[in-house]
Structures are given as structure tokens and as C-alpha cells.
């Protein structure tokens, strides 16, 4: 009887552990709105928390894709570039810009992308009423800039 009771208890503990290990929900995002400004979209969970591509751009200077990304759960925007292979073998800077009511804009979140770098992204701007956002890629050596449209 004692052995049977021990076997039942061990079986129940193993089953409970399997439920806890396999059934845990995805981690929630750790910031929202203006609290996300300057934060990394991957480490905060925003890159997977209801994230989608708001807009894309490609100026034809090689093989790359620029995206303005948005997380509706985190209420924030960031820029992401993938497949960057510039034909001139130069780098570029990607940025996410914001502007208030069409009065100038501020580039605060930016990152340099080297030739051949598969993926790069900026930190985020939290979405605040009255502001709109765009993603830009500016090639090194004065070879031009490509941007998405403005979105709020």
C-alpha cells in the first residue's frame, strides 16, 4: 500500500510539473507607450507582442527590406531592416523618426547596418497622441535615403 501511494504521488508531481513547464503562457511585454521609448523591442517582448509591419520601403540600391514595425500591445514603433546587401558594399543607418503635428521631426532611435548584415533594428518610440512615425534608411557615402510614409 505504501509503495502504491508513493507511486501515485510521484506520478501526480510529474504530471503537475509537465503542465507547468509546457503550459506556461508567452511572456507579456514589459513596457507600453512612452515607457517603451529607447527600449529594445526584442528584450521587452514587444517584437512578438502583437507586432506587425506598418509600412515598407525599398529604393532599389541593392537587396534589402526596410520596415516600420508596430506593436499594438506595447503601443510603440521601431525600424527594422532585413537582407541588407548594398550593391556598392557600403553600410547604412536605419532610424525611426517621429514628428509632432507635422512640425519638424526628431531622429533619436537609430543604428548602423553593415553590408551583409542579415537583420538590424532600432530601439522603440512609444506611441503618444499627436505624434506620427516613419522608418528611414540612409546609405553611407551620401548615396541617398529611403523612407516609409508617416503613420500615427
Amino acid at each position: 500500500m505504501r509503495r502504491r501511494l508513493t507511486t501515485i504521488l510521484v506520478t501526480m508531481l510529474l504530471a503537475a510539473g509537465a503542465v507547468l513547464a509546457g503550459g506556461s503562457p508567452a511572456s507579456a511585454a514589459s513596457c507600453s507607450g512612452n515607457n517603451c521609448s529607447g527600449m529594445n523591442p526584442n528584450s521587452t517582448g514587444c517584437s512578438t507582442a502583437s507586432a506587425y509591419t506598418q509600412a515598407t520601403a525599398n529604393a532599389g540600391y541593392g537587396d534589402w527590406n526596410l520596415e516600420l514595425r508596430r506593436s499594438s500591445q506595447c503601443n510603440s514603433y521601431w525600424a527594422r531592416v532585413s537582407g541588407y546587401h548594398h550593391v556598392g558594399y557600403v553600410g547604412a543607418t536605419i532610424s525611426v523618426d517621429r514628428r509632432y503635428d507635422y512640425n519638424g521631426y526628431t531622429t533619436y532611435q537609430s543604428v548602423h547596418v553593415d553590408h551583409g548584415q542579415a537583420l538590424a533594428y532600432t530601439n522603440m518610440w512609444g506611441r503618444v497622441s499627436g505624434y506620427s512615425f516613419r522608418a528611414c534608411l540612409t546609405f553611407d557615402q551620401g548615396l541617398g535615403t529611403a523612407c516609409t510614409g508617416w503613420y500615427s
Side-chain angles (χ1 to χ4, degrees):
M1 177 75 170
R2 180 181 243 187
R3 183 177 175 153
R4 180 176 156 92
L5 186 56
T6 302
T7 303
I8 291 172
L9 287 174
V10 168
T11 303
M12 289 173 60
L13 289 172
L14 289 174
V19 168
L20 291 174
S24 62
S27 61
S30 62
C31 68
S32 180
N34 206 36
N35 292 331
C36 290
S37 291
M39 298 184 81
N40 181 311
N42 285 336
S43 64
T44 57
C46 294
S47 65
T48 57
S50 304
Y52 61 93
T53 299
Q54 181 77 56
T56 60
N58 192 316
Y61 292 113
D63 183 21
W64 55 273
N65 186 44
L66 173 68
E67 301 171 281
L68 176 63
R69 301 280 294 162
R70 179 176 179 207
S71 169
S72 56
Q73 183 176 344
C74 294
N75 205 18
S76 60
Y77 287 92
W78 66 95
R80 181 173 80 175
V81 67
S82 58
Y84 181 76
H85 298 286
H86 187 279
V87 293
Y89 299 101
V90 297
T93 299
I94 60 171
S95 63
V96 60
D97 303 334
R98 76 175 186 173
R99 70 177 177 189
Y100 182 74
D101 286 337
Y102 307 100
N103 294 321
Y105 65 90
T106 302
T107 299
Y108 177 70
Q109 314 298 346
S110 65
V111 67
H112 192 266
V113 185
D114 294 322
H115 169 74
Q117 189 172 341
L119 178 68
Y121 53 89
T122 66
N123 286 337
M124 298 179 287
W125 272 120
R127 188 168 176 255
V128 179
S129 180
Y131 285 92
S132 53
F133 304 85
R134 72 175 179 184
C136 291
L137 185 141
T138 302
F139 295 102
D140 292 349
Q141 301 175 2
L143 295 176
T145 299
C147 295
T148 66
W150 289 95
Y151 294 87
S152 54

